[in-house]
Amino acid sequence: MNARFEGSFLGDASRIAADAVLECKICWYGYDPAAGDDARQVPPGTPFTALPDDWRCPQCDGARDQFMVVDAGSAEPAPTIAEQARLLEAGFREVFQNKMRDTPFVNRSLSVEAVGFRAWGERALGVLVAPWFMNMVVLPAPGEDWSRFAAGEKRVFAFPSGDYEFIANARGHVGPYFACSLFSPMSDFSSQLQATETARAVLAALFDDKARDVGDEAGTIRDLRVSELERQRQAEAARNAAPTRRALITGGLAGATGDAGT
Ligand code: FE
């Protein structure tokens, strides 16, 4: 949390941690919950949000809503990418245990594993391997609210190798995310290592702009491209018969099925 905001009057009171220090905008008096406020007999340990309603700046009598956060205190920090990836794994291990384990759709030599999750701009990107699918997954940036996307809603993300259609989903503690199907089912994989190596190869190919020179089937997606130069390159590429883009980034491995990327 690095935004400064005024008191509790802009709807942000819930974001003020119990130990956050706030400062009077007029005279720079600081209210530190650890110290309280002797002048008003506010005991140490009183959060800013628990001060009496008529509390004012003890130094200049300034209004309480003129105070700004200067030290956010222990407000919950945004989860790290590694933590987000672990939550994703935990969520899908639960699905495996509760729903998929005894179905014919699973490859029993595989397990749920988040592979190669890294920062992608302010968001996070990686591949989720599971016994019944392999998906590219994009996680929201800290503070980015994707709860407005209904499950199944589509969104295009642009990468150096091309633009890919992702589908909104959400799962328990993971919250909303976007996924692009790479493989489903996973019957062609013989080991977890083979699956995770494929996942890493996909991520590498995703950022390989040479893949863009190969035609793809995503004509409507192309319209979203911002650069005229890129549009020209794509128009030229589309004239050449070539494998689909997804077949390209998945190395043409058999088993790349489904309609993601179309
Ligand atoms: Fe003041």
Side-chain angles (χ1 to χ4, degrees), residues 23-29 56-63 67:
E23 191 177 72
C24 174
K25 208 163 83 174
I26 301 164
C27 76
W28 311 110
Y29 164 87
R56 301 179 72 85
C57 176
Q59 194 163 283
C60 75
D61 204 38
F67 276 66

Side-chain angles (χ1 to χ4, degrees), residues 8-262:
S8 56
F9 288 74
L10 297 176
D12 280 324
S14 65
R15 295 187 61 193
I16 301 177
D19 58 351
V21 175
L22 285 89
E23 191 177 72
C24 174
K25 208 163 83 174
I26 301 164
C27 76
W28 311 110
Y29 164 87
Y31 178 78
D32 182 352
D37 173 15
D38 278 348
R40 282 292 307 268
Q41 283 150 11
V42 172
T46 305
F48 184 84
T49 51
L51 287 167
D53 287 340
D54 61 349
W55 186 87
R56 301 179 72 85
C57 176
Q59 194 163 283
C60 75
D61 204 38
R64 176 175 160 172
D65 65 355
Q66 294 300 301
F67 276 66
M68 299 166 81
V69 171
V70 289
D71 179 348
S74 56
E76 197 141 317
T80 64
I81 292 171
E83 285 164 352
Q84 288 178 296
R86 294 291 89 75
L87 285 173
L88 197 61
E89 286 180 338
F92 278 90
R93 285 201 185 105
E94 199 178 303
V95 174
F96 178 71
Q97 290 301 329
N98 296 339
K99 291 184 183 162
M100 298 302 296
R101 190 177 51 179
D102 298 322
T103 71
F105 310 111
V106 298
N107 179 340
R108 287 172 192 287
S109 57
L110 303 178
S111 56
V112 175
E113 185 173 344
V115 179
F117 275 77
R118 78 283 304 272
W120 177 50
E122 294 201 31
R123 296 173 179 146
L125 165 80
V127 172
L128 186 65
V129 171
W132 67 104
F133 69 85
M134 186 190 301
N135 287 349
M136 288 196 288
V137 173
V138 175
L139 298 168
E144 188 174 28
D145 181 11
W146 278 355
S147 59
R148 68 183 185 279
F149 293 107
E153 209 168 315
K154 293 171 179 177
R155 179 171 177 174
V156 172
F157 290 106
F159 294 90
S161 63
D163 299 337
Y164 299 85
E165 188 173 85
F166 283 65
I167 295 172
N169 212 329
R171 178 152 303 288
H173 298 299
V174 183
Y177 63 89
F178 277 88
C180 175
S181 173
L182 295 168
F183 300 93
S184 181
M186 295 289 281
S187 44
D188 290 322
F189 291 92
S190 57
S191 71
Q192 185 72 7
L193 181 63
Q194 187 195 14
T196 58
E197 281 181 348
T198 300
R200 290 183 202 286
V202 165
L203 285 167
L206 193 60
F207 290 92
D208 180 357
D209 61 4
K210 287 196 288 296
R212 248 189 202 278
D213 290 327
V214 179
D216 63 61
E217 72 276 48
T220 55
I221 294 172
R222 197 171 300 124
D223 295 335
L224 296 174
R225 299 214 165 104
V226 287
S227 128
E228 183 58 32
L229 182 65
E230 203 62 88
R231 273 197 289 276
Q232 288 166 2
R233 286 181 57 200
Q234 286 297 325
E236 189 179 343
R239 283 194 289 273
N240 304 318
T244 67
R245 185 198 319 107
R246 194 164 56 122
L248 188 82
I249 64 166
T250 54
L253 267 167
T257 60
D259 62 357
T262 62

